[in-house]
PDB file of all heavy atoms in Angstrom:
ATOM      1  N   SER A   1       0.823  -1.206   0.000  1.00 98.00           N
ATOM      2  CA  SER A   1       0.000   0.000   0.000  1.00 98.00           C
ATOM      3  C   SER A   1       0.853   1.250   0.000  1.00 98.00           C
ATOM      4  O   SER A   1       1.981   1.259   0.506  1.00 98.00           O
ATOM      5  CB  SER A   1      -0.907   0.038   1.238  1.00 98.00           C
ATOM      6  OG  SER A   1      -1.810  -1.049   1.260  1.00 98.00           O
ATOM      7  N   LEU A   2       0.304   2.305  -0.567  1.00 98.00           N
ATOM      8  CA  LEU A   2       0.883   3.634  -0.521  1.00 98.00           C
ATOM      9  C   LEU A   2      -0.244   4.640  -0.379  1.00 98.00           C
ATOM     10  O   LEU A   2      -1.365   4.388  -0.827  1.00 98.00           O
ATOM     11  CB  LEU A   2       1.673   3.958  -1.789  1.00 98.00           C
ATOM     12  CG  LEU A   2       3.027   3.298  -2.016  1.00 98.00           C
ATOM     13  CD1 LEU A   2       3.533   3.632  -3.417  1.00 98.00           C
ATOM     14  CD2 LEU A   2       4.034   3.747  -0.972  1.00 98.00           C
ATOM     15  N   ARG A   3       0.062   5.783   0.213  1.00 98.00           N
ATOM     16  CA  ARG A   3      -0.879   6.896   0.235  1.00 98.00           C
ATOM     17  C   ARG A   3      -0.224   8.112  -0.390  1.00 98.00           C
ATOM     18  O   ARG A   3       0.787   8.606   0.106  1.00 98.00           O
ATOM     19  CB  ARG A   3      -1.349   7.233   1.648  1.00 98.00           C
ATOM     20  CG  ARG A   3      -2.502   8.257   1.631  1.00 98.00           C
ATOM     21  CD  ARG A   3      -3.072   8.550   2.995  1.00 98.00           C
ATOM     22  NE  ARG A   3      -2.229   9.447   3.770  1.00 98.00           N
ATOM     23  CZ  ARG A   3      -2.668  10.253   4.728  1.00 98.00           C
ATOM     24  NH1 ARG A   3      -3.965  10.262   5.041  1.00 98.00           N
ATOM     25  NH2 ARG A   3      -1.820  11.017   5.388  1.00 98.00           N
ATOM     26  N   LEU A   4      -0.808   8.575  -1.478  1.00 98.00           N
ATOM     27  CA  LEU A   4      -0.341   9.775  -2.136  1.00 98.00           C
ATOM     28  C   LEU A   4      -1.068  10.989  -1.574  1.00 98.00           C
ATOM     29  O   LEU A   4      -2.220  10.902  -1.162  1.00 98.00           O
ATOM     30  CB  LEU A   4      -0.585   9.707  -3.643  1.00 98.00           C
ATOM     31  CG  LEU A   4      -0.037   8.489  -4.385  1.00 98.00           C
ATOM     32  CD1 LEU A   4      -0.301   8.629  -5.879  1.00 98.00           C
ATOM     33  CD2 LEU A   4       1.449   8.296  -4.104  1.00 98.00           C
ATOM     34  N   ALA A   5      -0.390  12.125  -1.575  1.00 98.00           N
ATOM     35  CA  ALA A   5      -0.992  13.381  -1.150  1.00 98.00           C
ATOM     36  C   ALA A   5      -0.690  14.453  -2.174  1.00 98.00           C
ATOM     37  O   ALA A   5       0.365  14.445  -2.812  1.00 98.00           O
ATOM     38  CB  ALA A   5      -0.465  13.794   0.221  1.00 98.00           C
ATOM     39  N   CYS A   6      -1.617  15.366  -2.342  1.00 98.00           N
ATOM     40  CA  CYS A   6      -1.448  16.507  -3.232  1.00 98.00           C
ATOM     41  C   CYS A   6      -1.899  17.746  -2.486  1.00 98.00           C
ATOM     42  O   CYS A   6      -3.084  17.879  -2.158  1.00 98.00           O
ATOM     43  CB  CYS A   6      -2.269  16.317  -4.509  1.00 98.00           C
ATOM     44  SG  CYS A   6      -2.353  17.766  -5.579  1.00 98.00           S
ATOM     45  N   GLN A   7      -0.959  18.637  -2.209  1.00 98.00           N
ATOM     46  CA  GLN A   7      -1.279  19.871  -1.516  1.00 98.00           C
ATOM     47  C   GLN A   7      -1.369  21.015  -2.517  1.00 98.00           C
ATOM     48  O   GLN A   7      -0.461  21.206  -3.332  1.00 98.00           O
ATOM     49  CB  GLN A   7      -0.248  20.190  -0.441  1.00 98.00           C
ATOM     50  CG  GLN A   7      -0.643  21.383   0.417  1.00 98.00           C
ATOM     51  CD  GLN A   7       0.137  21.464   1.705  1.00 98.00           C
ATOM     52  OE1 GLN A   7       1.310  21.092   1.743  1.00 98.00           O
ATOM     53  NE2 GLN A   7      -0.497  21.938   2.757  1.00 98.00           N
ATOM     54  N   ALA A   8      -2.457  21.760  -2.447  1.00 97.00           N
ATOM     55  CA  ALA A   8      -2.728  22.831  -3.397  1.00 97.00           C
ATOM     56  C   ALA A   8      -2.553  24.198  -2.751  1.00 97.00           C
ATOM     57  O   ALA A   8      -2.781  24.380  -1.556  1.00 97.00           O
ATOM     58  CB  ALA A   8      -4.144  22.716  -3.949  1.00 97.00           C
ATOM     59  N   SER A   9      -2.170  25.162  -3.570  1.00 97.00           N
ATOM     60  CA  SER A   9      -2.099  26.547  -3.144  1.00 97.00           C
ATOM     61  C   SER A   9      -2.460  27.437  -4.323  1.00 97.00           C
ATOM     62  O   SER A   9      -2.356  27.034  -5.479  1.00 97.00           O
ATOM     63  CB  SER A   9      -0.708  26.899  -2.610  1.00 97.00           C
ATOM     64  OG  SER A   9       0.283  26.720  -3.607  1.00 97.00           O
ATOM     65  N   GLY A  10      -2.907  28.656  -4.023  1.00 94.00           N
ATOM     66  CA  GLY A  10      -3.217  29.608  -5.067  1.00 94.00           C
ATOM     67  C   GLY A  10      -4.578  29.463  -5.711  1.00 94.00           C
ATOM     68  O   GLY A  10      -4.829  30.086  -6.748  1.00 94.00           O
ATOM     69  N   LEU A  11      -5.449  28.655  -5.131  1.00 92.00           N
ATOM     70  CA  LEU A  11      -6.802  28.507  -5.647  1.00 92.00           C
ATOM     71  C   LEU A  11      -7.772  28.282  -4.501  1.00 92.00           C
ATOM     72  O   LEU A  11      -7.366  27.932  -3.391  1.00 92.00           O
ATOM     73  CB  LEU A  11      -6.900  27.381  -6.677  1.00 92.00           C
ATOM     74  CG  LEU A  11      -6.984  25.930  -6.185  1.00 92.00           C
ATOM     75  CD1 LEU A  11      -7.416  25.023  -7.327  1.00 92.00           C
ATOM     76  CD2 LEU A  11      -5.665  25.466  -5.600  1.00 92.00           C
ATOM     77  N   ALA A  12      -9.053  28.481  -4.790  1.00 94.00           N
ATOM     78  CA  ALA A  12     -10.097  28.236  -3.797  1.00 94.00           C
ATOM     79  C   ALA A  12     -10.352  26.743  -3.736  1.00 94.00           C
ATOM     80  O   ALA A  12     -11.288  26.218  -4.344  1.00 94.00           O
ATOM     81  CB  ALA A  12     -11.358  29.008  -4.156  1.00 94.00           C
ATOM     82  N   PHE A  13      -9.505  26.052  -2.992  1.00 95.00           N
ATOM     83  CA  PHE A  13      -9.493  24.594  -3.001  1.00 95.00           C
ATOM     84  C   PHE A  13     -10.853  23.996  -2.670  1.00 95.00           C
ATOM     85  O   PHE A  13     -11.273  23.015  -3.296  1.00 95.00           O
ATOM     86  CB  PHE A  13      -8.439  24.090  -2.015  1.00 95.00           C
ATOM     87  CG  PHE A  13      -8.297  22.600  -1.981  1.00 95.00           C
ATOM     88  CD1 PHE A  13      -7.542  21.944  -2.933  1.00 95.00           C
ATOM     89  CD2 PHE A  13      -8.923  21.851  -0.992  1.00 95.00           C
ATOM     90  CE1 PHE A  13      -7.404  20.568  -2.913  1.00 95.00           C
ATOM     91  CE2 PHE A  13      -8.794  20.476  -0.959  1.00 95.00           C
ATOM     92  CZ  PHE A  13      -8.038  19.836  -1.920  1.00 95.00           C
ATOM     93  N   SER A  14     -11.548  24.566  -1.702  1.00 95.00           N
ATOM     94  CA  SER A  14     -12.818  24.001  -1.262  1.00 95.00           C
ATOM     95  C   SER A  14     -13.921  24.116  -2.307  1.00 95.00           C
ATOM     96  O   SER A  14     -14.974  23.494  -2.144  1.00 95.00           O
ATOM     97  CB  SER A  14     -13.274  24.666   0.037  1.00 95.00           C
ATOM     98  OG  SER A  14     -13.534  26.046  -0.167  1.00 95.00           O
ATOM     99  N   LEU A  15     -13.697  24.869  -3.374  1.00 95.00           N
ATOM    100  CA  LEU A  15     -14.709  25.083  -4.401  1.00 95.00           C
ATOM    101  C   LEU A  15     -14.486  24.250  -5.657  1.00 95.00           C
ATOM    102  O   LEU A  15     -15.316  24.299  -6.570  1.00 95.00           O
ATOM    103  CB  LEU A  15     -14.764  26.565  -4.795  1.00 95.00           C
ATOM    104  CG  LEU A  15     -15.082  27.563  -3.678  1.00 95.00           C
ATOM    105  CD1 LEU A  15     -15.107  28.975  -4.242  1.00 95.00           C
ATOM    106  CD2 LEU A  15     -16.399  27.228  -3.005  1.00 95.00           C
ATOM    107  N   VAL A  16     -13.399  23.509  -5.731  1.00 95.00           N
ATOM    108  CA  VAL A  16     -13.054  22.829  -6.971  1.00 95.00           C
ATOM    109  C   VAL A  16     -12.974  21.325  -6.783  1.00 95.00           C
ATOM    110  O   VAL A  16     -12.557  20.824  -5.745  1.00 95.00           O
ATOM    111  CB  VAL A  16     -11.731  23.354  -7.562  1.00 95.00           C
ATOM    112  CG1 VAL A  16     -11.823  24.848  -7.848  1.00 95.00           C
ATOM    113  CG2 VAL A  16     -10.562  23.083  -6.627  1.00 95.00           C
ATOM    114  N   ALA A  17     -13.378  20.620  -7.834  1.00 97.00           N
ATOM    115  CA  ALA A  17     -13.182  19.184  -7.874  1.00 97.00           C
ATOM    116  C   ALA A  17     -11.700  18.868  -8.057  1.00 97.00           C
ATOM    117  O   ALA A  17     -10.954  19.646  -8.650  1.00 97.00           O
ATOM    118  CB  ALA A  17     -13.989  18.574  -9.020  1.00 97.00           C
ATOM    119  N   MET A  18     -11.290  17.719  -7.551  1.00 97.00           N
ATOM    120  CA  MET A  18      -9.910  17.282  -7.672  1.00 97.00           C
ATOM    121  C   MET A  18      -9.880  15.860  -8.216  1.00 97.00           C
ATOM    122  O   MET A  18     -10.846  15.101  -8.071  1.00 97.00           O
ATOM    123  CB  MET A  18      -9.199  17.323  -6.318  1.00 97.00           C
ATOM    124  CG  MET A  18      -9.145  18.704  -5.678  1.00 97.00           C
ATOM    125  SD  MET A  18      -8.103  19.877  -6.590  1.00 97.00           S
ATOM    126  CE  MET A  18      -6.484  19.120  -6.384  1.00 97.00           C
ATOM    127  N   SER A  19      -8.770  15.495  -8.817  1.00 97.00           N
ATOM    128  CA  SER A  19      -8.666  14.167  -9.397  1.00 97.00           C
ATOM    129  C   SER A  19      -7.225  13.693  -9.409  1.00 97.00           C
ATOM    130  O   SER A  19      -6.278  14.477  -9.273  1.00 97.00           O
ATOM    131  CB  SER A  19      -9.243  14.140 -10.816  1.00 97.00           C
ATOM    132  OG  SER A  19      -8.610  15.086 -11.650  1.00 97.00           O
ATOM    133  N   TRP A  20      -7.083  12.385  -9.559  1.00 98.00           N
ATOM    134  CA  TRP A  20      -5.784  11.742  -9.750  1.00 98.00           C
ATOM    135  C   TRP A  20      -5.775  11.051 -11.104  1.00 98.00           C
ATOM    136  O   TRP A  20      -6.728  10.339 -11.451  1.00 98.00           O
ATOM    137  CB  TRP A  20      -5.503  10.709  -8.659  1.00 98.00           C
ATOM    138  CG  TRP A  20      -5.182  11.295  -7.322  1.00 98.00           C
ATOM    139  CD1 TRP A  20      -6.037  11.509  -6.293  1.00 98.00           C
ATOM    140  CD2 TRP A  20      -3.893  11.723  -6.869  1.00 98.00           C
ATOM    141  NE1 TRP A  20      -5.377  12.042  -5.224  1.00 98.00           N
ATOM    142  CE2 TRP A  20      -4.055  12.187  -5.546  1.00 98.00           C
ATOM    143  CE3 TRP A  20      -2.624  11.761  -7.437  1.00 98.00           C
ATOM    144  CZ2 TRP A  20      -2.989  12.689  -4.790  1.00 98.00           C
ATOM    145  CZ3 TRP A  20      -1.569  12.263  -6.692  1.00 98.00           C
ATOM    146  CH2 TRP A  20      -1.758  12.717  -5.389  1.00 98.00           C
ATOM    147  N   TYR A  21      -4.711  11.265 -11.856  1.00 98.00           N
ATOM    148  CA  TYR A  21      -4.465  10.592 -13.117  1.00 98.00           C
ATOM    149  C   TYR A  21      -3.155   9.827 -13.019  1.00 98.00           C
ATOM    150  O   TYR A  21      -2.328  10.093 -12.141  1.00 98.00           O
ATOM    151  CB  TYR A  21      -4.381  11.590 -14.270  1.00 98.00           C
ATOM    152  CG  TYR A  21      -5.708  12.147 -14.734  1.00 98.00           C
ATOM    153  CD1 TYR A  21      -6.409  13.057 -13.958  1.00 98.00           C
ATOM    154  CD2 TYR A  21      -6.246  11.773 -15.959  1.00 98.00           C
ATOM    155  CE1 TYR A  21      -7.621  13.577 -14.385  1.00 98.00           C
ATOM    156  CE2 TYR A  21      -7.452  12.288 -16.398  1.00 98.00           C
ATOM    157  CZ  TYR A  21      -8.132  13.188 -15.609  1.00 98.00           C
ATOM    158  OH  TYR A  21      -9.328  13.699 -16.044  1.00 98.00           O
ATOM    159  N   ARG A  22      -2.960   8.896 -13.932  1.00 98.00           N
ATOM    160  CA  ARG A  22      -1.676   8.214 -14.014  1.00 98.00           C
ATOM    161  C   ARG A  22      -1.310   7.965 -15.469  1.00 98.00           C
ATOM    162  O   ARG A  22      -2.174   7.888 -16.342  1.00 98.00           O
ATOM    163  CB  ARG A  22      -1.689   6.899 -13.235  1.00 98.00           C
ATOM    164  CG  ARG A  22      -2.587   5.816 -13.813  1.00 98.00           C
ATOM    165  CD  ARG A  22      -2.619   4.607 -12.882  1.00 98.00           C
ATOM    166  NE  ARG A  22      -3.438   3.532 -13.414  1.00 98.00           N
ATOM    167  CZ  ARG A  22      -3.752   2.432 -12.749  1.00 98.00           C
ATOM    168  NH1 ARG A  22      -3.296   2.251 -11.504  1.00 98.00           N
ATOM    169  NH2 ARG A  22      -4.509   1.488 -13.313  1.00 98.00           N
ATOM    170  N   GLN A  23      -0.013   7.849 -15.704  1.00 98.00           N
ATOM    171  CA  GLN A  23       0.483   7.584 -17.041  1.00 98.00           C
ATOM    172  C   GLN A  23       1.677   6.649 -16.957  1.00 98.00           C
ATOM    173  O   GLN A  23       2.674   6.963 -16.311  1.00 98.00           O
ATOM    174  CB  GLN A  23       0.876   8.871 -17.759  1.00 98.00           C
ATOM    175  CG  GLN A  23       1.253   8.666 -19.212  1.00 98.00           C
ATOM    176  CD  GLN A  23       1.409   9.977 -19.958  1.00 98.00           C
ATOM    177  OE1 GLN A  23       1.748  11.003 -19.366  1.00 98.00           O
ATOM    178  NE2 GLN A  23       1.162   9.941 -21.253  1.00 98.00           N
ATOM    179  N   ALA A  24       1.556   5.508 -17.604  1.00 97.00           N
ATOM    180  CA  ALA A  24       2.645   4.556 -17.717  1.00 97.00           C
ATOM    181  C   ALA A  24       3.368   4.781 -19.040  1.00 97.00           C
ATOM    182  O   ALA A  24       2.775   5.296 -19.996  1.00 97.00           O
ATOM    183  CB  ALA A  24       2.117   3.129 -17.634  1.00 97.00           C
ATOM    184  N   PRO A  25       4.645   4.388 -19.135  1.00 93.00           N
ATOM    185  CA  PRO A  25       5.381   4.577 -20.383  1.00 93.00           C
ATOM    186  C   PRO A  25       4.668   3.950 -21.572  1.00 93.00           C
ATOM    187  O   PRO A  25       4.235   2.794 -21.515  1.00 93.00           O
ATOM    188  CB  PRO A  25       6.714   3.883 -20.111  1.00 93.00           C
ATOM    189  CG  PRO A  25       6.877   3.980 -18.632  1.00 93.00           C
ATOM    190  CD  PRO A  25       5.489   3.819 -18.072  1.00 93.00           C
ATOM    191  N   GLY A  26       4.523   4.712 -22.655  1.00 94.00           N
ATOM    192  CA  GLY A  26       3.888   4.216 -23.857  1.00 94.00           C
ATOM    193  C   GLY A  26       2.378   4.184 -23.824  1.00 94.00           C
ATOM    194  O   GLY A  26       1.757   3.738 -24.799  1.00 94.00           O
ATOM    195  N   LYS A  27       1.766   4.640 -22.741  1.00 96.00           N
ATOM    196  CA  LYS A  27       0.320   4.625 -22.620  1.00 96.00           C
ATOM    197  C   LYS A  27      -0.228   6.040 -22.453  1.00 96.00           C
ATOM    198  O   LYS A  27       0.490   6.958 -22.077  1.00 96.00           O
ATOM    199  CB  LYS A  27      -0.117   3.763 -21.435  1.00 96.00           C
ATOM    200  CG  LYS A  27       0.235   2.292 -21.570  1.00 96.00           C
ATOM    201  CD  LYS A  27      -0.315   1.493 -20.403  1.00 96.00           C
ATOM    202  CE  LYS A  27      -0.007   0.017 -20.548  1.00 96.00           C
ATOM    203  NZ  LYS A  27      -0.540  -0.766 -19.400  1.00 96.00           N
TER     204      LYS A  27
END
């Protein structure tokens, strides 16, 4: 298991949707 975190600044964080994407080599 792992837990990733993403900390945001410079935007109204509580008003925006957030998402996680991933990209593997060649995909």
Side-chain angles (χ1 to χ4, degrees):
S1 298
L2 287 173
R3 189 176 77 153
L4 306 183
C6 171
Q7 187 163 34
S9 61
L11 80 166
F13 182 81
S14 64
L15 301 180
V16 301
M18 300 293 295
S19 57
W20 287 95
Y21 284 72
R22 68 185 182 188
Q23 186 170 28
K27 296 184 178 180

